[in-house]
Every structure is written in structure tokens, then in C-alpha cells.
């Protein structure tokens, strides 16, 4: 995790306090330096900080405060016309910087979301799933709560593709993703792991409630397939951890093993074994 990601995860109150500290440091530095030294450049740091980590509006406020500090601390150092010109020039630069950073931030967030979204189904992808799983794993370890991971595989999907073509197969995958996404809690997560495999993350969910959730999802998916006369069923395997191990890959592997057991048992079923300690 780089410094930008680390700071981006901090509470907004902490970030505002950090931004105020940077502004105060710039004001002290501006007051202590000689008039010949162009210290206004240091205000670029807090202005950029507010614009990136908090909002465009706070960046503009920081720009105005920075210009006001420069005006006050240098009011006796030069003629009024030169001072006002310099302050106006710096204010213009600050505002331009805020606009540029806000645009870059928007592009960054858009690219970040895109890199964590499956292009076909528009649900989270494998990378996003592992990131959320890491967070939920740490939470479950801290509070001793249950955490369930389910793996889902489509039975007869290859035959479906061969019979109806990849366009129909892609449509089927989108239907599966949309059906599951609409029927889970906000705290839950469904992701496409690749091909015709999906994963479902159920925080604070033990094996019995998890089994009920998966049976419901399977029934809804079966109904969607029957409505369209698609000869596809679903094999689901889930593992509940309480507490979870340190390795997220180990958790995924165990859920995948249970799903594979469901598939090897004939498919079209849900298997949720006893909680894994």
C-alpha cells in the first residue's frame, strides 16, 4: 500500500487536521523567511493536499487562505501594487492547481473502479474480491465473528456455449451476476472470479444462515435459467471461518474445494460443511 492509498483510507477528520497543520506550517515558514525569499511556493503542499484527499471545495478554501496569509505577512515588504499583483498571481496558480488535481483525482477514481470491475458483468472482479476479503478477514479476526466464502460454478456452461454461441453465453453470465447482485445484502459481495466461476462473500454469517442464503440464490438462478430455457444448473460450495486464517488464498482454496466436491457429486447442489476453526 502506497502513501496515497494509506491516507485515502483515513477518517476525513484526521485528513482535515493534517491539512490545517500543513497550512499552519506554511504560515509559520512564510512569516519567518525574509521578504526576498518567495515562500508562497510552500502553500502548494496544503492546497494540493486538500484538493486531492478531501474535496475541490476545500482546496479552493485552502487556496484563498494561503493567498490571505501571503498578503498579511508581506504587506510591509513591498509596494501595494506589487504585493497585490504577486498575491493575485499565486491565487490564480493555486486555483488552477486545485482544478487540475480535482480532474486527476476524478480520472484516478474512475480508473481504479474500472480495474476492479469485471468488464462483461459489471460486478466486482477477482482483484476487488481479494481486497474486500482482506478487510473483512481482519475485521472477523478482531471481533471473533464468522465469515463465509461461497464459490459458485455453472454446470453445463460449456455445452450451452457450444450449442447457442458465446453471445448467448455472455448474456447468461450477465443474468447470473445481476440475479445474485440484486439478492444479497449491502454488506455482502458477489464477484466474478473468471470464466463461469463466481464468489460470494458473507460477513458475520455462520454456516446455517449462509446455507439458507445460497439455497435462495440457487432457487432464483434456477428460475432465471428455466424462464429462458437455458440448460444450466449451479454447483455451490461454501466455507465458514471463525476466526478466519491469516491467508486469504487458503480461504479461497477451501471454498473452491467444497464447490468442486459439489460438482463431482453430480452438480446442481449446495454444500456448506461445518465451520472451519
Amino acid at each position: 500500500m502506497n502513501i496515497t492509498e494509506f491516507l485515502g483510507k483515513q477518517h476525513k477528520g484526521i485528513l482535515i487536521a493534517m491539512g490545517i497543520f500543513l497550512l499552519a506550517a506554511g504560515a509559520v515558514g512564510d512569516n519567518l523567511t525574509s521578504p526576498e525569499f518567495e515562500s508562497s511556493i510552500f502553500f502548494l503542499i496544503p492546497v494540493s493536499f486538500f484538493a486531492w484527499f478531501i474535496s475541490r471545495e476545500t482546496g479552493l478554501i485552502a487556496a484563498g487562505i494561503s493567498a490571505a496569509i501571503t498578503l498579511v505577512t508581506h504587506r510591509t515588504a513591498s509596494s501595494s501594487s506589487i504585493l497585490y499583483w504577486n498575491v493575485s498571481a499565486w491565487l490564480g496558480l493555486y486555483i488552477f492547481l486545485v482544478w487540475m488535481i480535482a480532474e486527476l483525482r476524478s480520472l484516478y477514481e474512475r480508473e481504479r473502479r474500472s480495474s476492479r470491475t469485471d468488464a462483461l458483468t459489471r460486478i466486482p472482479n477477482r482483484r476487488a474480491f481479494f481486497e474486500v476479503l482482506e478487510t473483512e478477514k481482519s475485521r472477523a479476526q478482531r471481533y471473533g465473528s464468522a465469515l463465509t466464502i461461497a464459490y459458485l460454478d455453472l454446470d453445463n456452461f460449456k455445452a450451452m456455449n457450444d450449442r447457442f454461441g458465446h453471445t448467448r453465453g455472455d448474456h447468461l453470465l450477465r443474468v447470473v451476476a445481476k440475479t445474485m447482485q440484486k439478492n444479497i445484502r449491502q454488506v455482502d459481495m458477489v464477484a466474478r472470479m473468471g470464466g463461469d466461476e463466481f464468489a460470494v462473500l458473507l460477513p458475520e454469517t455462520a454456516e446455517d444462515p449462509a446455507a439458507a442464503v445460497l439455497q435462495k440464490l440457487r432457487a432464483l438462478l434456477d428460475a432465471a435459467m428455466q424462464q429462458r430455457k437455458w440448460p444450466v444448473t449451479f454447483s455451490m460450495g461454501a466455507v465458514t471461518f471463525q476466526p478466519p486464517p491469516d491467508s486469504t488464498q487458503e480461504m479461497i482454496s477451501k471454498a473452491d474445494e467444497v464447490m468442486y466436491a459439489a460438482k463431482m457429486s453430480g452438480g446442481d447442489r449446495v454444500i456448506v460443511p461445518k465451520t472451519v476453526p
Side-chain angles (χ1 to χ4, degrees):
M1 180 185 299
N2 58 40
I3 185 65
T4 301
E5 292 177 332
F6 173 77
L7 289 174
K9 293 179 181 295
Q10 304 308 305
H11 189 273
K12 184 170 287 189
I14 295 175
L15 294 175
I16 291 174
M18 293 176 66
I20 292 173
F21 172 80
L22 291 172
L23 268 176
V28 171
D30 195 33
N31 189 57
L32 294 178
T33 55
S34 64
E36 293 79 15
F37 183 77
E38 188 53 82
S39 56
S40 299
I41 192 172
F42 295 124
F43 287 114
L44 293 174
I45 297 174
V47 169
S48 302
F49 184 90
F50 274 106
W52 181 273
F53 290 108
I54 304 175
S55 68
R56 186 196 304 260
E57 291 73 22
T58 56
L60 292 173
I61 292 172
I65 293 174
S66 299
I69 291 172
T70 300
L71 182 64
V72 170
T73 55
H74 292 272
R75 64 184 182 276
T76 60
S78 57
S79 66
S80 296
S81 57
I82 294 176
L83 176 60
Y84 285 123
W85 168 258
N86 288 340
V87 170
S88 298
W90 277 109
L91 179 59
L93 178 61
Y94 297 151
I95 293 173
F96 177 75
L97 181 66
V98 168
W99 180 81
M100 288 293 295
I101 287 176
E103 290 298 311
L104 287 173
R105 173 71 176 180
S106 177
L107 291 172
Y108 171 80
E109 289 296 337
R110 194 180 311 159
E111 182 62 27
R112 187 173 181 274
R113 286 192 298 270
S114 176
S115 69
R116 289 159 175 79
T117 302
D118 178 62
L120 175 65
T121 61
R122 308 311 301 170
I123 64 172
N125 60 15
R126 184 182 184 87
R127 175 181 179 181
F129 187 83
F130 270 96
E131 288 181 353
V132 175
L133 175 57
E134 184 68 38
T135 300
E136 293 298 337
K137 179 205 72 175
S138 300
R139 194 194 314 276
Q141 289 175 331
R142 186 180 307 119
Y143 297 109
S145 55
L147 178 63
T148 296
I149 299 176
Y151 237 65
L152 176 151
D153 185 83
L154 279 61
D155 306 320
N156 306 318
F157 180 69
K158 185 179 185 303
M160 164 82 181
N161 257 345
D162 293 342
R163 179 180 175 185
F164 296 103
H166 290 285
T167 300
R168 188 72 61 86
D170 289 347
H171 184 200
L172 187 153
L173 291 173
R174 285 193 289 267
V175 169
V176 170
K178 184 177 180 180
T179 300
M180 291 196 292
Q181 186 84 318
K182 286 174 59 178
N183 291 282
I184 58 174
R185 303 172 301 176
Q186 282 192 337
V187 296
D188 300 334
M189 179 184 191
V190 60
R192 185 185 178 202
M193 304 301 279
D196 60 341
E197 290 189 352
F198 295 81
V200 181
L201 184 63
L202 303 171
E204 299 183 15
T205 306
E207 62 263 31
D208 289 342
V213 169
L214 296 177
Q215 291 288 6
K216 175 187 173 183
L217 287 177
R218 178 168 162 263
L220 291 168
L221 290 169
D222 284 343
M225 298 300 105
Q226 292 165 11
Q227 178 185 352
R228 296 165 175 82
K229 296 181 170 57
W230 289 339
V232 171
T233 55
F234 302 88
S235 296
M236 299 185 186
V239 179
T240 299
F241 302 89
Q242 191 171 9
D246 291 331
S247 172
T248 53
Q249 186 60 58
E250 177 185 347
M251 299 169 69
I252 289 287
S253 297
K254 287 184 177 180
D256 190 33
E257 289 172 7
V258 177
M259 181 275 291
Y260 186 73
K263 203 167 185 67
M264 291 300 99
S265 299
D268 192 18
R269 67 192 62 203
V270 175
I271 296 180
V272 184
K274 184 180 178 182
T275 299
V276 176

